[in-house]
Structure formats: structure tokens, C-alpha cells
């Protein structure tokens, strides 16, 4: 299974204010405060200054970057899809989000709906291996407002030994 299935193993622990954080990210305290200050039921942290960090991690940032588009209201309209043009990416999702009040119920509803309608990602992996971006996109497709909470840097992701080495250097230099 993957992230969505893992998250919902803990569904009985969901309260009316739920923060979800990937286990492979480290972020500065201000980012958490920024998330907590969002008034929205569904808030997703997105990094608008992601390109420099991705350029340090990858020879070609498009090897790992995913789509993320927002509308004029700051609502995410597309997330988690492959891209071929770096100019088409407005920000990167970092794996930190908050669902509060009715947003927790909407998250549950989206999980229940997941798989009811055939989505393009299902051609690549089964429902049990859905990514969080698949679930976020399901929220969007169901018509719910998914709000971006923009930041500019201040976080790192550790997926590989090379990421760990880069993170160690960045932390030592104070450049997270």
C-alpha cells in the first residue's frame, strides 16, 4: 500500500483538527506557524521557491517535479501530475497539510469516493497505492476548495542518501 492507506489506518484517531506531515521532510518552525494561521478547512503548504532546491537535488528538476497550479483565489486546481515544462509549475507540494472542522469530513468523503471514478493515475498503480496527491486531487475534482498556503523555502526532503548528504550540508550552513 501507500500513503493514503497508511493514513487511514489511523482514521479512528482523527479529531476535528488534523495535521498531516510526511515523515521524510524537515521544516522550519515558521512553516508550521504559517499552516496553523490558515483560516481554511483544507490548507496545503506549497513552496513557491522550489526550483533552486530541486536543481540542487536533481540533474533535471523535471525528473521529480509534479504539477501544482492554483487559481486567483489560491485554490489548488491541479496537483501531482507529471509535467514536461518547468514553467508550468507554480509551486511544489511539500507533504504538509491541515484539515480542520468540516475539512476532516471532506477528507473522509474523498477517501470513500477514491476509486469510484476512473482517474488517469489508476492506469499506473492500483487504488491501494494511491498517493496523497491523488487524494488531494480527488478533493479538487469533487469540487472542494483546497487552499494553498505558500512559503518560500525553509524545508528539506530526504528520499535518498544524496538528499541526506545535501540536507546535512544545508543544515550545517544554515541554508534550509
Amino acid at each position: 500500500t501507500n500513503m493514503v492507506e497508511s493514513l487511514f489506518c489511523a482514521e479512528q484517531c482523527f479529531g476535528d483538527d488534523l495535521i498531516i506531515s510526511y515523515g521524510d521532510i524537515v521544516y522550519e518552525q515558521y512553516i508550521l506557524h504559517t499552516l496553523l494561521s490558515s483560516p481554511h478547512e483544507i490548507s496545503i503548504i506549497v513552496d513557491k521557491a522550489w526550483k533552486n532546491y530541486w536543481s540542487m537535488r536533481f540533474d533535471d528538476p523535471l525528473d521529480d517535479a509534479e504539477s501544482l497550479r492554483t487559481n486567483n483565489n489560491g485554490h489548488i486546481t491541479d496537483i501531482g501530475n507529471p509535467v514536461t515544462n518547468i514553467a508550468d509549475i507554480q509551486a511544489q507540494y511539500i507533504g504538509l497539510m491541515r484539515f480542520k472542522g468540516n475539512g476532516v469530513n471532506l477528507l473522509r468523503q474523498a477517501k470513500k469516493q477514491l476509486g469510484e471514478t476512473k482517474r488517469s493515475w489508476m492506469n499506473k498503480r492500483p487504488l491501494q497505492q494511491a498517493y496523497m496527491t491523488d487524494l488531494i486531487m480527488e478533493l479538487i475534482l469533487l469540487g472542494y476548495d483546497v487552499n494553498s498556503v505558500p512559503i518560500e523555502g525553509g524545508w528539506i526532503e530526504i528520499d535518498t542518501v544524496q538528499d541526506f548528504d545535501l540536507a546535512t550540508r544545508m543544515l550545517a550552513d544554515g541554508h534550509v
Side-chain angles (χ1 to χ4, degrees):
T1 62
N2 211 323
M3 294 175 233
V4 173
E5 291 297 315
S6 297
L7 172 64
F8 277 85
C9 285
E11 183 178 7
Q12 70 280 0
C13 298
F14 291 7
D16 62 355
D17 194 348
L18 176 66
I19 295 174
I20 302 168
S21 175
Y22 285 6
D24 64 353
I25 63 171
V26 177
Y27 44 88
E28 293 181 14
Q29 190 173 2
Y30 90 89
I31 294 173
L32 181 59
H33 291 297
T34 302
L35 180 63
L36 292 172
S37 69
S38 172
H40 304 289
E41 293 179 331
I42 302 172
S43 300
I44 311 291
I45 294 285
V46 301
D47 185 3
K48 293 180 127 301
W50 67 277
K51 290 178 195 171
N52 185 47
Y53 179 48
W54 250 247
S55 294
M56 289 188 285
R57 293 180 67 203
F58 305 99
D59 292 333
D60 180 0
L62 286 175
D63 288 344
D64 186 71
E66 298 175 327
S67 68
L68 196 144
R69 293 183 185 274
T70 60
N71 64 18
N72 291 337
N73 296 323
H75 299 155
I76 298 173
T77 59
D78 181 44
I79 188 170
N81 292 304
V83 291
T84 56
N85 186 345
I86 204 161
D88 292 335
I89 305 169
Q90 293 176 320
Q92 275 299 287
Y93 160 74
I94 76 165
L96 181 62
M97 62 214 94
R98 182 182 188 195
F99 298 84
K100 66 179 183 177
N102 193 45
V104 177
N105 295 327
L106 298 178
L107 178 68
R108 286 183 167 117
Q109 288 175 19
K111 168 62 166 76
K112 287 179 185 167
Q113 289 291 124
L114 205 59
E116 293 294 316
T117 302
K118 181 78 169 162
R119 307 290 186 205
S120 61
W121 63 266
M122 294 175 185
N123 295 327
K124 301 174 199 152
R125 59 189 172 278
L127 182 61
Q128 296 77 16
Q129 293 182 357
Y131 300 153
M132 280 302 299
T133 52
D134 299 327
L135 184 59
I136 295 168
M137 196 64 217
E138 192 68 23
L139 284 159
I140 295 164
L141 293 170
L142 290 170
Y144 303 133
D145 291 341
V146 175
N147 296 277
S148 67
V149 179
I151 60 164
E152 292 193 9
W155 71 285
I156 51 179
E157 178 179 31
I158 302 173
D159 285 337
T160 65
V161 172
Q162 292 81 9
D163 284 344
F164 177 78
D165 292 341
L166 175 60
T168 302
R169 289 191 308 274
M170 290 174 71
L171 289 168
D173 292 343
H175 291 100
V176 175

